[in-house]
Amino acid sequence: MEKARLITAKEVSDDLGISIQYAYSIIKQLNKELEEDGCFVIKGKTNRYYYEQRLFGNLEEVEIDEGLK
């Protein structure tokens, strides 16, 4: 099943093992950055790809490294 383009605070909370309140603050910061770049944002959700890039860096390198193990 394909993941949705937007990630919710609940998903961020579960993903990072943090409180929902802190997850909302992360989403708020990411949405602020996206708005500054001219993107339309939805309160309480953010772009999943942008979230993963900002928090985990270049995912392509991680996937390649995991394949070598």
Side-chain angles (χ1 to χ4, degrees):
M1 186 171 140
E2 191 174 317
K3 292 182 181 180
R5 287 184 179 222
L6 298 177
I7 189 167
T8 65
K10 171 74 171 119
E11 291 175 289
V12 171
S13 172
D14 292 344
D15 195 25
L16 301 177
I18 58 175
S19 70
I20 294 281
Q21 294 84 359
Y22 191 52
Y24 274 114
S25 70
I26 290 172
I27 287 174
K28 185 176 180 178
Q29 175 62 39
L30 294 174
N31 281 346
K32 181 181 173 189
E33 293 170 11
L34 288 168
E35 272 187 317
E36 289 171 356
D37 287 340
C39 295
F40 179 80
V41 299
I42 297 173
K43 189 174 181 179
K45 298 180 179 184
T46 197
N47 179 287
R48 182 180 303 274
Y49 178 76
Y50 187 70
Y51 157 78
E52 291 174 349
Q53 286 294 309
R54 289 284 285 124
L55 268 69
F56 306 115
N58 189 347
L59 294 177
E60 291 176 16
E61 289 180 13
V62 173
E63 291 170 4
I64 291 170
D65 290 341
E66 287 178 2
L68 296 175
K69 291 181 181 178

